[in-house]
Amino acid sequence: MAMSDRATRAKATVDVVTAYFAQIQATADDPDALDFTFGNPHELALPGLTAAIQAQVEPRSVDWFAYKTSEGVAQETIAAGLRTELALEFEPDDIAMTQGAFGALSLAFALLADAGDEVVIPVPGWFCYEPMLQAANLIPVRAPLDPETFDLDIDAISRAIGPRTRLVVVNSPANPTGRVYSRDTWQALADVLEQASRTHGRRIWLISDEPYRRIRFDGIHFASPAGSYPWTVIAYSYGKVLLAPGQRLGYLALSPLIPPAERDELRAALFPLGLAIGWGFPDAVMQYSVPALESVSLDMAELARKRDRLFGALTDAGVRVTRPEGTFYLWGEAPGGDAAVFCDALAARGIYVMPGTLFDQPRHFRMSLTATMETIDRALPDLTEVAAALSTTAAGASAPAPGRRHP
């Protein structure tokens, strides 16, 4: 076999995602396709994003486009923002600039875990955790969320922890469910991790994956576990709030509550490991743009309107949907109980919805609210018709009629 074992394992865990991505890419040139799959932009870039980048393109010095590690201006801006946002005393040296949250997670895995260590991940959760861990020679261990509410199940995490556990990954606001977890939840988790660390004689670290932190509805408060459990690192991406996942910009932040000696050791490792994982620093222009980008955001009022429109119509049609508290996704239970059947019936009508099979949840589906309101309005008649027909089919009647129906 030409590939390494870890490459084979990583590929196997993500094949369902890459195959689905190729399927959706094939519809890219169809002007009538109604796409609710990935969190991509469906309109031109935010003006503030364009202006911020344009302002930094013209070189101001001969080294403007030289090799960049973590630029001081970016680190200082982010540390100041985190002090305000999370009420924790972050310092610039706690911040490592990365190529989005992917880069932040890769850096965290290299920083904190050794080959063969176990890493607890949420299910349902982001479908790239597992292949990333396999590629890093780490062992993913799944901890299911509460099957009804999709709350973080502290007992399930406790059961998943063993002698080889080194990391636990949490995600709030959570993809795909849209749940935002409370400070009480983090304190309960901190108690479990502290006890497990003592029991097994090694420190268990927490990775808080927070790329949707600034995308929350209804004034819901955000608390980071970095304020409850000192041994926490935060992974963040600007690609979500800017709705620009192709402009890779993110960071890994060390909790300022980490004991000083360990914090200093980790700080000293951030640059060499950023180099070692493949020069994982963002491009120069993106780092220079950070001060301007800190105040740029997608339109949360419009996003809330889209959430309410889609959630209300599906709920009225009898579809069981989790009302998202954050992110730009809608997570629901497929009418008839089979996500593949539901999504295939919609695809036959030119509507593309992500099946829960990508999250190991074959009864569920995910829809991206980054679609335009026009797309939502065009899709809703077929969405509700297919949902009603499949619900009826599950009770013994005929299947929904195929064929594109939306205008």
Side-chain angles (χ1 to χ4, degrees):
M1 180 181 294
M3 290 194 299
S4 66
D5 287 344
R6 64 178 179 172
T8 301
R9 292 193 303 270
K11 178 180 180 300
T13 58
V14 81
D15 270 346
V16 64
V17 178
T18 54
Y20 183 74
F21 183 76
Q23 174 189 339
I24 296 304
Q25 286 291 95
T27 70
D29 294 331
D30 181 355
D32 294 322
L34 303 180
D35 183 4
F36 295 90
T37 57
F38 294 93
N40 276 318
H42 290 253
E43 298 172 289
L44 289 177
L46 299 174
L49 169 62
T50 305
I53 294 174
Q54 287 176 336
Q56 303 299 334
V57 167
E58 189 66 31
R60 292 158 171 71
S61 62
V62 295
D63 64 349
W64 198 247
F65 299 122
Y67 282 112
K68 300 300 175 187
T69 58
S70 291
E71 287 291 289
V73 65
Q75 292 173 294
E76 292 164 7
T77 300
I78 290 164
L82 286 171
R83 287 195 294 271
T84 299
E85 197 171 350
L86 302 184
L88 295 169
E89 290 304 311
F90 286 88
E91 298 177 3
D93 287 345
D94 295 323
I95 311 301
M97 302 304 299
T98 64
Q99 290 272 334
F102 265 108
L105 291 167
S106 294
L107 180 58
F109 298 157
L111 184 69
L112 299 171
D114 292 313
D117 280 345
E118 293 182 349
V119 181
V120 177
I121 57 174
V123 178
W126 187 45
F127 40 64
C128 288
Y129 290 139
E130 193 161 346
M132 288 183 71
L133 291 169
Q134 295 284 8
N137 264 335
L138 301 173
I139 301 171
V141 178
R142 301 177 179 188
L145 302 175
D146 183 287
E148 294 298 318
T149 65
F150 300 105
D151 285 330
L152 204 65
D153 189 331
I154 304 299
D155 290 337
I157 293 174
S158 180
R159 290 191 297 270
I161 292 173
R164 298 171 66 185
T165 303
R166 182 61 167 171
L167 301 170
V168 173
V169 178
V170 293
N171 176 215
S172 178
N175 174 16
T177 67
R179 294 305 312 277
V180 177
Y181 304 127
S182 69
R183 193 178 303 279
D184 288 345
T185 297
W186 299 136
Q187 188 55 58
L189 178 60
D191 293 342
V192 164
L193 297 182
E194 184 59 41
Q195 179 59 52
S197 296
R198 289 198 297 267
T199 298
H200 298 296
R202 68 187 312 214
R203 173 56 57 189
I204 297 172
W205 287 81
L206 186 63
I207 299 177
S208 182
D209 188 20
E210 302 178 5
Y212 300 96
R213 188 177 68 226
R214 294 172 175 174
I215 305 176
R216 306 189 311 279
F217 301 108
D218 308 320
I220 289 176
H221 175 71
F222 176 83
S224 173
S228 299
Y229 186 65
W231 294 273
T232 298
V233 296
I234 295 171
Y236 184 78
S237 169
Y238 283 85
K240 307 303 183 184
V241 75
L242 299 177
L243 204 51
Q247 290 298 123
R248 309 302 298 161
L249 179 66
Y251 59 80
L252 185 72
L254 309 175
S255 170
L257 302 182
I258 295 172
E262 292 173 84
R263 189 179 177 195
D264 288 343
E265 181 183 358
L266 294 175
R267 283 174 164 182
L270 292 175
F271 165 60
L273 280 177
L275 182 154
I277 64 173
W279 204 264
F281 308 100
D283 294 343
V285 168
M286 292 309 297
Q287 293 207 57
Y288 299 150
S289 301
V290 166
L293 293 177
E294 272 288 282
S295 59
V296 179
S297 171
L298 50 74
D299 186 339
M300 283 302 303
E302 177 65 9
L303 191 67
R305 284 192 289 272
K306 290 192 284 187
R307 177 200 63 168
D308 293 344
R309 177 81 170 107
L310 198 52
F311 176 84
L314 288 174
T315 300
D316 289 346
V319 182
R320 187 177 179 187
V321 183
T322 301
R323 184 177 175 85
E325 299 165 326
T327 76
F328 39 57
Y329 303 118
L330 202 64
W331 179 248
E333 188 170 333
D338 189 324
V341 171
F342 178 54
C343 293
D344 286 349
L346 291 174
R349 302 185 181 211
I351 302 170
Y352 299 93
V353 171
M354 185 174 286
T357 47
L358 275 67
F359 304 91
D360 287 330
Q361 303 291 300
R363 294 180 58 86
H364 290 79
F365 65 93
R366 192 192 78 175
M367 301 185 71
S368 176
L369 299 173
T370 61
T372 65
M373 187 67 85
E374 178 190 9
T375 296
I376 292 171
D377 287 339
R378 289 174 62 196
L380 276 177
D382 282 340
L383 273 168
T384 54
E385 182 179 323
V386 169
L390 284 173
S391 296
T392 304
T393 300
S398 59
R404 186 167 300 187
R405 296 285 300 281
H406 63 76

